[in-house]
Structure formats: structure tokens, C-alpha cells
Coordinates of all heavy atoms in Angstrom, one line a residue:
M1 N 0.8 -1.2 0.0 CA 0.0 0.0 0.0 C 0.9 1.3 0.0 O 1.9 1.3 0.6 CB -0.9 0.0 1.2 CG -2.3 -0.4 0.9 SD -3.5 0.3 1.9 CE -3.5 -0.7 3.3
A2 N 0.4 2.3 -0.7 CA 1.1 3.5 -0.8 C 1.1 4.3 0.6 O 0.1 4.1 1.3 CB 0.5 4.4 -1.8
E3 N 2.1 5.0 0.8 CA 2.1 5.8 2.1 C 1.2 7.0 2.0 O 1.0 7.6 0.9 CB 3.5 6.2 2.4 CG 4.3 5.2 3.1 CD 5.4 5.7 3.9 OE1 5.6 7.0 3.9 OE2 6.2 4.9 4.3
E4 N 0.5 7.3 3.1 CA -0.4 8.4 3.1 C 0.4 9.7 3.1 O 1.4 9.8 3.7 CB -1.2 8.4 4.4 CG -2.3 7.4 4.3 CD -3.2 7.4 5.6 OE1 -3.5 8.5 6.1 OE2 -3.4 6.3 6.1
P5 N 0.0 10.7 2.2 CA 0.7 11.9 2.2 C 0.5 12.7 3.5 O -0.5 12.5 4.2 CB 0.0 12.7 1.1 CG -1.4 12.1 0.9 CD -1.2 10.6 1.3
Q6 N 1.6 13.4 3.9 CA 1.5 14.1 5.2 C 0.7 15.4 5.0 O 1.1 16.3 4.3 CB 2.9 14.4 5.7 CG 3.7 13.2 6.2 CD 3.0 12.7 7.5 OE1 2.8 13.5 8.4 NE2 2.7 11.4 7.5
L7 N -0.4 15.4 5.7 CA -1.3 16.6 5.6 C -0.9 17.6 6.6 O -0.3 17.2 7.6 CB -2.7 16.2 5.8 CG -3.4 15.3 4.7 CD1 -4.7 14.7 5.2 CD2 -3.6 16.0 3.4
P8 N -1.1 18.9 6.4 CA -0.9 19.8 7.4 C -1.8 19.5 8.6 O -2.9 19.0 8.4 CB -1.3 21.2 6.8 CG -1.9 20.9 5.5 CD -1.6 19.5 5.1
A9 N -1.4 19.8 9.8 CA -2.1 19.5 11.0 C -3.4 20.3 11.2 O -3.4 21.2 12.0 CB -1.3 19.6 12.2
I10 N -4.5 19.9 10.5 CA -5.8 20.5 10.8 C -6.6 19.4 11.5 O -6.9 18.4 10.8 CB -6.4 20.9 9.4 CG1 -5.5 21.9 8.7 CG2 -7.8 21.6 9.7 CD1 -5.9 22.2 7.3
P11 N -6.9 19.6 12.7 CA -7.5 18.5 13.5 C -8.8 17.9 12.9 O -9.0 16.7 12.9 CB -7.9 19.2 14.8 CG -6.9 20.4 14.9 CD -6.7 20.8 13.5
A12 N -9.7 18.8 12.3 CA -10.9 18.2 11.8 C -10.7 17.2 10.6 O -11.3 16.2 10.6 CB -11.8 19.4 11.3
I13 N -9.7 17.6 9.8 CA -9.4 16.7 8.7 C -8.7 15.5 9.2 O -9.0 14.4 8.7 CB -8.5 17.5 7.6 CG1 -9.4 18.5 6.9 CG2 -7.9 16.5 6.6 CD1 -8.7 19.4 5.9
M14 N -7.8 15.6 10.1 CA -7.2 14.4 10.7 C -8.2 13.4 11.3 O -8.0 12.2 11.1 CB -6.2 14.9 11.8 CG -5.0 15.7 11.3 SD -3.8 14.8 10.3 CE -3.0 13.9 11.6
D15 N -9.2 14.0 12.0 CA -10.2 13.1 12.5 C -11.0 12.3 11.5 O -11.3 11.2 11.6 CB -11.2 13.9 13.4 CG -10.7 14.1 14.8 OD1 -9.6 13.5 15.1 OD2 -11.4 14.7 15.6
W16 N -11.4 13.1 10.5 CA -12.1 12.5 9.4 C -11.3 11.4 8.7 O -11.8 10.3 8.4 CB -12.4 13.5 8.4 CG -13.2 13.0 7.2 CD1 -14.6 12.8 7.1 CD2 -12.7 12.7 5.9 NE1 -14.9 12.3 5.9 CE2 -13.8 12.2 5.1 CE3 -11.5 12.7 5.3 CZ2 -13.7 11.8 3.8 CZ3 -11.3 12.3 4.0 CH2 -12.4 11.9 3.2
D17 N -10.0 11.6 8.5 CA -9.1 10.7 7.9 C -9.0 9.4 8.7 O -9.0 8.3 8.2 CB -7.7 11.4 7.8 CG -6.9 10.8 6.6 OD1 -7.5 10.7 5.5 OD2 -5.8 10.4 6.9
R18 N -9.0 9.6 10.0 CA -8.8 8.5 11.0 C -10.1 7.6 10.9 O -10.0 6.4 10.9 CB -8.6 9.0 12.3 CG -7.9 7.9 13.2 CD -7.6 8.5 14.6 NE -6.8 9.7 14.6 CZ -6.9 10.7 15.4 NH1 -7.9 10.8 16.3 NH2 -6.1 11.8 15.3
K19 N -11.2 8.3 10.8 CA -12.5 7.5 10.8 C -12.5 6.6 9.5 O -13.0 5.5 9.6 CB -13.7 8.5 10.8 CG -14.3 8.6 12.2 CD -15.4 9.6 12.3 CE -15.5 10.2 13.6 NZ -16.1 11.5 13.6
K20 N -12.1 7.2 8.5 CA -12.2 6.5 7.2 C -11.3 5.2 7.2 O -11.6 4.2 6.6 CB -11.7 7.4 6.1 CG -12.4 7.3 4.8 CD -12.0 8.3 3.8 CE -10.8 7.7 3.0 NZ -10.3 8.6 2.0
R21 N -10.3 5.3 8.0 CA -9.3 4.2 8.1 C -9.8 3.0 8.9 O -9.4 1.9 8.8 CB -8.0 4.7 8.7 CG -6.8 4.0 8.2 CD -5.6 4.7 8.7 NE -5.5 4.4 10.2 CZ -4.8 5.3 11.0 NH1 -4.3 6.3 10.5 NH2 -4.7 4.9 12.3
F22 N -10.8 3.3 9.8 CA -11.2 2.3 10.8 C -12.1 1.3 10.1 O -12.7 1.5 9.1 CB -12.0 2.9 11.9 CG -11.1 3.5 13.0 CD1 -9.9 4.1 12.8 CD2 -11.6 3.3 14.3 CE1 -9.1 4.5 13.8 CE2 -10.8 3.7 15.4 CZ -9.5 4.4 15.1
V23 N -12.1 0.1 10.6 CA -12.8 -1.0 10.0 C -13.9 -1.5 11.1 O -13.6 -1.6 12.2 CB -11.9 -2.2 9.7 CG1 -12.6 -3.5 9.5 CG2 -10.9 -1.8 8.6
E24 N -15.1 -1.7 10.6 CA -16.2 -2.1 11.4 C -16.1 -3.6 11.7 O -15.9 -4.4 10.8 CB -17.5 -1.7 10.8 CG -18.6 -2.0 11.7 CD -20.0 -1.7 11.0 OE1 -20.1 -1.8 9.8 OE2 -21.0 -1.4 11.8
K25 N -16.2 -3.9 13.0 CA -16.1 -5.3 13.4 C -17.4 -5.5 14.2 O -17.6 -4.9 15.2 CB -14.8 -5.5 14.3 CG -14.3 -6.9 14.3 CD -13.1 -7.0 15.1 CE -12.7 -8.4 15.3 NZ -11.5 -8.4 16.3
K26 N -18.1 -6.5 13.7 CA -19.4 -6.7 14.3 C -19.4 -7.9 15.3 O -18.7 -8.9 15.0 CB -20.5 -7.0 13.2 CG -21.1 -5.7 12.7 CD -22.1 -6.1 11.6 CE -23.4 -5.4 11.8 NZ -24.4 -5.7 10.8
H27 N -20.1 -7.8 16.4 CA -20.2 -8.9 17.3 C -21.6 -9.2 17.6 O -22.5 -8.3 17.5 CB -19.5 -8.4 18.7 CG -18.1 -8.2 18.6 ND1 -17.1 -9.1 18.8 CD2 -17.4 -7.1 18.2 CE1 -15.9 -8.6 18.6 NE2 -16.1 -7.3 18.2
S28 N -21.9 -10.4 18.0 CA -23.2 -10.8 18.5 C -23.1 -11.2 19.9 O -22.2 -11.9 20.3 CB -23.8 -11.9 17.6 OG -23.8 -11.6 16.3
V29 N -24.0 -10.8 20.7 CA -24.1 -11.2 22.1 C -25.1 -12.3 22.2 O -26.2 -12.2 21.8 CB -24.5 -10.0 23.1 CG1 -24.5 -10.5 24.5 CG2 -23.5 -8.9 22.9
L30 N -24.7 -13.5 22.8 CA -25.5 -14.6 22.9 C -25.8 -14.9 24.4 O -24.9 -14.7 25.2 CB -24.8 -15.9 22.3 CG -24.8 -15.9 20.8 CD1 -23.7 -15.1 20.2 CD2 -24.6 -17.3 20.3
K31 N -27.0 -15.2 24.6 CA -27.4 -15.5 26.0 C -27.8 -17.0 26.1 O -28.6 -17.5 25.2 CB -28.5 -14.6 26.5 CG -28.8 -14.8 28.0 CD -29.8 -13.7 28.4 CE -30.2 -13.9 29.9 NZ -29.1 -13.5 30.8
C32 N -27.4 -17.6 27.1 CA -27.7 -19.1 27.3 C -29.0 -19.2 28.1 O -29.0 -18.6 29.2 CB -26.5 -19.7 27.9 SG -26.8 -21.5 28.3
G33 N -29.9 -20.0 27.6 CA -31.1 -20.2 28.4 C -30.9 -21.2 29.5 O -31.8 -21.4 30.4
N34 N -29.8 -21.9 29.5 CA -29.5 -23.0 30.5 C -28.8 -22.3 31.8 O -29.3 -22.4 32.8 CB -28.7 -24.0 29.9 CG -28.4 -25.1 30.9 OD1 -29.3 -25.7 31.5 ND2 -27.1 -25.5 31.0
C35 N -27.7 -21.7 31.5 CA -26.9 -21.2 32.6 C -27.1 -19.7 32.8 O -26.6 -19.1 33.7 CB -25.4 -21.5 32.5 SG -24.6 -20.7 31.1
K36 N -27.9 -19.1 31.9 CA -28.2 -17.6 32.0 C -27.0 -16.7 31.8 O -27.1 -15.5 32.1 CB -28.9 -17.2 33.3 CG -30.0 -18.2 33.7 CD -31.2 -18.0 32.8 CE -32.3 -19.0 33.2 NZ -33.3 -19.2 32.1
E37 N -25.9 -17.3 31.4 CA -24.7 -16.4 31.1 C -24.8 -15.8 29.7 O -25.5 -16.4 28.8 CB -23.5 -17.3 31.2 CG -23.1 -17.8 32.6 CD -22.5 -16.7 33.5 OE1 -22.0 -15.7 32.9 OE2 -22.6 -16.8 34.7
D38 N -24.2 -14.7 29.5 CA -24.1 -14.2 28.1 C -22.6 -14.0 27.7 O -21.8 -13.8 28.6 CB -25.0 -13.0 27.8 CG -24.9 -11.9 28.9 OD1 -23.8 -11.9 29.5 OD2 -25.9 -11.2 29.1
F39 N -22.4 -14.0 26.5 CA -21.0 -13.8 26.0 C -21.1 -13.3 24.6 O -22.1 -13.5 23.9 CB -20.1 -15.1 26.1 CG -20.7 -16.2 25.3 CD1 -20.2 -16.4 24.0 CD2 -21.6 -17.1 25.8 CE1 -20.7 -17.5 23.2 CE2 -22.1 -18.1 25.0 CZ -21.7 -18.4 23.7
S40 N -20.0 -12.7 24.1 CA -20.1 -12.2 22.7 C -19.1 -13.0 21.8 O -18.1 -13.5 22.3 CB -19.8 -10.7 22.7 OG -18.5 -10.5 23.1
R41 N -19.4 -13.0 20.6 CA -18.5 -13.6 19.6 C -18.7 -12.9 18.3 O -19.6 -12.0 18.2 CB -18.9 -15.1 19.4 CG -20.3 -15.4 18.9 CD -20.2 -16.4 17.8 NE -21.5 -16.9 17.4 CZ -22.4 -16.2 16.6 NH1 -22.1 -15.0 16.2 NH2 -23.5 -16.8 16.2
I42 N -17.8 -13.1 17.4 CA -17.8 -12.4 16.1 C -19.1 -12.7 15.4 O -19.6 -13.8 15.4 CB -16.6 -12.9 15.2 CG1 -15.3 -12.7 15.9 CG2 -16.7 -12.3 13.8 CD1 -14.9 -11.2 16.1
F43 N -19.7 -11.6 14.9 CA -20.9 -11.7 14.1 C -20.8 -12.6 12.9 O -19.8 -12.7 12.2 CB -21.3 -10.3 13.6 CG -22.5 -10.2 12.7 CD1 -23.7 -10.0 13.2 CD2 -22.3 -10.3 11.3 CE1 -24.8 -9.9 12.4 CE2 -23.5 -10.2 10.5 CZ -24.7 -10.0 11.0
K44 N -21.8 -13.5 12.7 CA -21.8 -14.3 11.6 C -23.0 -14.0 10.7 O -24.0 -13.6 11.2 CB -22.0 -15.8 12.1 CG -20.8 -16.3 12.7 CD -21.0 -17.8 13.1 CE -19.8 -18.4 13.9 NZ -20.1 -19.7 14.3
P45 N -22.8 -14.1 9.4 CA -23.9 -13.8 8.4 C -25.2 -14.6 8.8 O -25.1 -15.8 9.1 CB -23.4 -14.3 7.1 CG -21.9 -14.3 7.2 CD -21.6 -14.6 8.7
G46 N -26.3 -13.9 8.8 CA -27.5 -14.5 9.2 C -27.9 -14.3 10.6 O -29.0 -14.6 11.0
D47 N -27.0 -13.7 11.4 CA -27.3 -13.4 12.8 C -28.3 -12.3 12.9 O -28.2 -11.3 12.1 CB -26.1 -12.9 13.6 CG -25.2 -14.1 14.0 OD1 -25.5 -15.2 13.7 OD2 -24.2 -13.8 14.7
F48 N -29.3 -12.4 13.8 CA -30.2 -11.3 14.1 C -30.6 -11.4 15.5 O -30.6 -12.5 16.1 CB -31.4 -11.2 13.1 CG -32.2 -12.5 13.1 CD1 -33.2 -12.6 13.9 CD2 -31.9 -13.5 12.2 CE1 -34.0 -13.8 13.9 CE2 -32.7 -14.6 12.2 CZ -33.7 -14.8 13.0
V49 N -31.1 -10.3 16.1 CA -31.5 -10.3 17.5 C -32.7 -11.2 17.6 O -33.6 -11.2 16.8 CB -31.8 -8.8 18.0 CG1 -32.3 -8.8 19.4 CG2 -30.5 -8.0 17.9
F50 N -32.7 -12.0 18.7 CA -33.8 -12.9 19.1 C -33.7 -14.3 18.3 O -34.5 -15.1 18.4 CB -35.2 -12.4 19.0 CG -35.4 -11.2 19.8 CD1 -36.0 -10.0 19.3 CD2 -35.1 -11.2 21.2 CE1 -36.2 -8.9 20.1 CE2 -35.3 -10.1 22.0 CZ -35.8 -8.9 21.4
K51 N -32.6 -14.4 17.5 CA -32.5 -15.6 16.7 C -32.0 -16.7 17.7 O -31.2 -16.5 18.5 CB -31.4 -15.4 15.6 CG -31.2 -16.6 14.8 CD -30.0 -16.5 13.9 CE -29.8 -17.8 13.0 NZ -28.6 -17.7 12.2
K52 N -32.5 -17.9 17.5 CA -32.0 -19.0 18.3 C -30.9 -19.7 17.6 O -31.0 -20.0 16.4 CB -33.2 -20.0 18.5 CG -34.3 -19.5 19.4 CD -34.9 -20.6 20.2 CE -36.2 -20.1 21.0 NZ -35.9 -18.9 21.7
V53 N -29.8 -19.8 18.2 CA -28.6 -20.4 17.6 C -28.5 -21.9 18.0 O -28.2 -22.2 19.2 CB -27.3 -19.6 18.0 CG1 -26.1 -20.2 17.3 CG2 -27.5 -18.1 17.7
E54 N -28.8 -22.7 17.1 CA -28.9 -24.1 17.5 C -27.7 -24.9 17.1 O -27.5 -26.0 17.7 CB -30.1 -24.8 16.7 CG -31.4 -24.0 16.9 CD -32.6 -24.9 17.0 OE1 -32.7 -25.8 16.2 OE2 -33.3 -24.8 18.0
D55 N -26.8 -24.4 16.3 CA -25.6 -25.2 15.9 C -24.4 -24.8 16.7 O -23.3 -25.2 16.4 CB -25.4 -25.1 14.4 CG -25.3 -23.7 13.9 OD1 -25.7 -22.8 14.7 OD2 -24.8 -23.5 12.8
E56 N -24.5 -24.0 17.7 CA -23.4 -23.6 18.5 C -23.6 -23.9 20.0 O -24.8 -23.9 20.4 CB -23.0 -22.1 18.4 CG -22.5 -21.8 17.0 CD -22.4 -20.3 16.8 OE1 -21.9 -19.6 17.6 OE2 -23.0 -19.8 15.8
E57 N -22.5 -24.2 20.7 CA -22.7 -24.5 22.1 C -22.4 -23.3 23.0 O -21.6 -22.4 22.6 CB -22.0 -25.7 22.5 CG -20.4 -25.6 22.3 CD -19.7 -26.9 22.8 OE1 -20.2 -28.0 22.6 OE2 -18.6 -26.7 23.4
C58 N -22.9 -23.3 24.2 CA -22.7 -22.2 25.1 C -21.2 -22.2 25.5 O -20.6 -23.3 25.8 CB -23.6 -22.4 26.3 SG -23.2 -21.3 27.7
E59 N -20.6 -21.0 25.5 CA -19.2 -20.9 25.9 C -19.0 -21.2 27.4 O -17.9 -21.6 27.7 CB -18.8 -19.4 25.6 CG -17.4 -19.2 25.4 CD -17.0 -17.8 25.0 OE1 -17.2 -16.9 25.9 OE2 -16.6 -17.5 23.9
K60 N -20.0 -21.1 28.2 CA -19.8 -21.3 29.6 C -20.2 -22.7 30.0 O -19.4 -23.4 30.7 CB -20.7 -20.3 30.4 CG -20.7 -18.9 29.9 CD -19.5 -18.1 30.4 CE -19.6 -16.7 29.8 NZ -18.5 -15.8 30.2
C61 N -21.3 -23.2 29.7 CA -21.8 -24.5 30.1 C -21.7 -25.6 29.0 O -22.0 -26.7 29.2 CB -23.1 -24.5 30.7 SG -24.5 -24.2 29.6
H62 N -21.3 -25.2 27.8 CA -21.1 -26.1 26.6 C -22.4 -26.8 26.3 O -22.3 -27.9 25.7 CB -20.0 -27.0 26.9 CG -18.7 -26.2 27.2 ND1 -18.0 -25.6 26.2 CD2 -18.0 -26.0 28.3 CE1 -16.9 -25.0 26.7 NE2 -16.9 -25.2 28.0
R63 N -23.5 -26.2 26.5 CA -24.8 -26.9 26.2 C -25.2 -26.4 24.8 O -25.1 -25.2 24.5 CB -25.8 -26.6 27.2 CG -27.1 -27.4 27.0 CD -27.8 -27.5 28.3 NE -29.2 -27.7 28.1 CZ -30.0 -28.1 29.0 NH1 -29.5 -28.4 30.2 NH2 -31.3 -28.2 28.7
K64 N -25.7 -27.3 24.0 CA -26.2 -26.9 22.7 C -27.6 -26.5 22.7 O -28.4 -26.9 23.6 CB -25.9 -28.0 21.6 CG -24.5 -28.0 21.1 CD -24.4 -28.8 19.8 CE -23.0 -28.6 19.2 NZ -22.9 -29.2 17.9
K65 N -28.0 -25.8 21.7 CA -29.5 -25.4 21.5 C -30.0 -24.6 22.6 O -31.2 -24.7 22.9 CB -30.3 -26.7 21.2 CG -29.8 -27.5 20.0 CD -30.9 -28.6 19.6 CE -30.3 -29.4 18.5 NZ -31.3 -29.8 17.5
S66 N -29.2 -23.9 23.3 CA -29.7 -23.1 24.4 C -29.4 -21.6 24.2 O -29.7 -20.8 25.1 CB -29.1 -23.6 25.7 OG -27.7 -23.4 25.7
L67 N -28.9 -21.3 23.1 CA -28.4 -19.9 22.9 C -29.4 -19.1 22.1 O -30.0 -19.5 21.1 CB -27.1 -19.9 22.2 CG -25.9 -20.5 22.9 CD1 -24.7 -20.6 22.1 CD2 -25.6 -19.7 24.2
T68 N -29.5 -17.8 22.5 CA -30.3 -16.8 21.7 C -29.5 -15.6 21.6 O -28.8 -15.2 22.5 CB -31.6 -16.5 22.5 OG1 -32.3 -17.7 22.8 CG2 -32.6 -15.6 21.7
I69 N -29.6 -15.0 20.4 CA -28.9 -13.7 20.2 C -29.7 -12.6 20.9 O -30.9 -12.5 20.6 CB -28.7 -13.4 18.7 CG1 -27.7 -14.5 18.1 CG2 -28.1 -12.0 18.5 CD1 -27.6 -14.4 16.6
V70 N -29.0 -11.9 21.8 CA -29.8 -10.8 22.5 C -29.3 -9.4 22.0 O -30.0 -8.4 22.3 CB -29.6 -10.9 24.0 CG1 -30.4 -12.1 24.5 CG2 -28.2 -11.0 24.5
E71 N -28.2 -9.3 21.4 CA -27.7 -8.0 21.0 C -26.7 -8.2 19.9 O -25.9 -9.1 19.8 CB -27.0 -7.3 22.2 CG -26.8 -5.8 22.1 CD -26.0 -5.2 23.2 OE1 -26.0 -5.8 24.3 OE2 -25.4 -4.2 23.0
I72 N -26.7 -7.2 19.0 CA -25.6 -7.1 18.0 C -25.0 -5.7 18.0 O -25.8 -4.7 18.1 CB -26.2 -7.4 16.5 CG1 -26.6 -8.9 16.5 CG2 -25.2 -7.1 15.5 CD1 -27.4 -9.3 15.3
Y73 N -23.7 -5.7 18.1 CA -23.1 -4.4 18.2 C -21.8 -4.4 17.3 O -21.3 -5.4 17.0 CB -22.7 -4.0 19.6 CG -21.7 -4.8 20.3 CD1 -20.3 -4.4 20.2 CD2 -22.0 -6.0 20.9 CE1 -19.3 -5.2 20.8 CE2 -21.0 -6.8 21.5 CZ -19.7 -6.4 21.4 OH -18.7 -7.1 22.0
S74 N -21.4 -3.2 17.0 CA -20.2 -3.1 16.2 C -19.2 -2.2 16.9 O -19.5 -1.3 17.6 CB -20.5 -2.6 14.7 OG -21.3 -1.5 14.7
E75 N -17.9 -2.5 16.7 CA -16.9 -1.6 17.2 C -16.0 -1.3 16.0 O -15.9 -2.0 15.0 CB -16.2 -2.3 18.4 CG -15.1 -3.2 18.0 CD -14.4 -4.0 19.2 OE1 -14.5 -3.4 20.3 OE2 -14.0 -5.1 19.0
W76 N -15.3 -0.1 16.2 CA -14.5 0.3 15.1 C -13.0 0.1 15.5 O -12.6 0.6 16.5 CB -14.7 1.8 14.8 CG -16.1 2.0 14.3 CD1 -17.2 2.1 15.0 CD2 -16.5 1.9 12.9 NE1 -18.3 2.2 14.1 CE2 -17.9 2.1 12.8 CE3 -15.8 1.8 11.6 CZ2 -18.6 2.1 11.6 CZ3 -16.5 1.8 10.5 CH2 -17.9 2.0 10.5
I77 N -12.3 -0.7 14.7 CA -11.0 -1.0 15.0 C -10.0 -0.4 14.0 O -10.4 -0.3 12.8 CB -10.7 -2.5 15.2 CG1 -11.1 -3.3 13.9 CG2 -11.4 -3.1 16.4 CD1 -10.4 -4.5 13.7
D78 N -8.8 -0.1 14.4 CA -7.8 0.4 13.6 C -7.0 -0.8 13.1 O -6.2 -1.4 13.8 CB -7.0 1.4 14.4 CG -5.9 2.1 13.5 OD1 -5.7 1.7 12.3 OD2 -5.4 3.1 14.0
P79 N -7.1 -1.1 11.8 CA -6.4 -2.3 11.3 C -4.8 -2.1 11.4 O -4.1 -3.1 11.3 CB -6.8 -2.4 9.9 CG -7.5 -1.1 9.5 CD -7.9 -0.4 10.8
K80 N -4.4 -0.9 11.5 CA -2.9 -0.7 11.5 C -2.3 -0.8 12.9 O -1.1 -0.9 13.1 CB -2.6 0.7 11.0 CG -2.8 0.9 9.5 CD -2.4 2.2 9.0 CE -2.7 2.4 7.5 NZ -2.5 3.8 7.1
K81 N -3.3 -0.9 13.9 CA -2.8 -1.0 15.3 C -2.8 -2.4 15.7 O -3.8 -3.1 15.5 CB -3.7 -0.1 16.2 CG -2.9 0.7 17.2 CD -3.8 1.8 17.7 CE -4.5 1.5 19.0 NZ -5.3 2.6 19.5
K82 N -1.8 -2.9 16.3 CA -1.7 -4.3 16.7 C -2.1 -4.4 18.2 O -1.7 -3.6 19.0 CB -0.3 -4.8 16.5 CG 0.0 -5.1 15.0 CD -0.3 -6.5 14.7 CE -0.7 -6.7 13.2 NZ 0.3 -7.1 12.3
Ligands
LIG101 ZN1 -24.7 -22.0 29.2

């Protein structure tokens, strides 16, 4: 990838530039009907809130067919930052 040109330090433009660089990372929060624990994992295509996830097991009690998606959220990560 080409190096970004050095722009003069104008904060507004710098902020905009930084936002453009961020990558959206989606997560789904799953709640277990068995142990009542919830945990998040990477969003998978087809996920939606209130969906019953039958092919995955609970991260806490390892029981299958007990998970429901209760929340989907996204976070913005900087791919250049390790
Ligand atoms: Zn569980």
C-alpha cells in the first residue's frame, strides 16, 4: 500500500481521515437459556436479534441449542494498530 501523504495538522481533517481508516467489526451477544450467562462472539452472516442459535454451544456450560442472540453491536478497530 502507498504511504499516506503528510497533511498539514488540521484537527478536523485528521479526525475524518482516521475514521475512514477504521474497520467495522461486528459482534453478536448470545445468552444461554440454561446457565443464563451471556457472551459475545464475532458476528456471523444470518445473525439477528432474538435468533435461536442451534448449531453452537454455550461458551460457559457447553450446552447446545440453548443460545439466543440478544444483541448485535459493532466496534471500530484500527487495522494498523496491533
Ligand atoms: Zn450456558
Side-chain angles (χ1 to χ4, degrees):
M1 260 211 278
E3 276 201 6
E4 286 179 42
Q6 284 297 307
L7 295 167
I10 304 168
I13 290 177
M14 295 290 282
D15 272 0
W16 180 80
D17 207 52
R18 201 178 302 144
K19 259 176 208 153
K20 220 177 83 178
R21 211 177 68 207
F22 276 40
V23 168
E24 188 182 23
K25 205 175 169 190
K26 276 178 131 179
H27 296 265
S28 302
V29 180
L30 286 79
K31 190 172 174 72
C32 176
N34 182 49
C35 66
K36 313 293 180 198
E37 292 283 339
D38 48 29
F39 61 93
S40 64
R41 60 133 170 79
I42 300 293
F43 176 88
K44 290 185 184 176
D47 279 2
F48 58 88
V49 175
F50 301 129
K51 183 191 180 183
K52 293 211 185 315
V53 182
E54 305 219 311
D55 56 345
E56 289 171 50
E57 62 178 38
C58 173
E59 205 175 66
K60 317 275 179 182
C61 69
H62 302 286
R63 188 155 152 165
K64 278 198 169 187
K65 302 191 183 217
S66 61
L67 298 171
T68 307
I69 295 172
V70 291
E71 197 187 335
I72 290 168
Y73 68 94
S74 46
E75 83 185 332
W76 294 87
I77 57 152
D78 185 347
K80 287 184 184 169
K81 224 157 95 178
K82 287 263 150 104

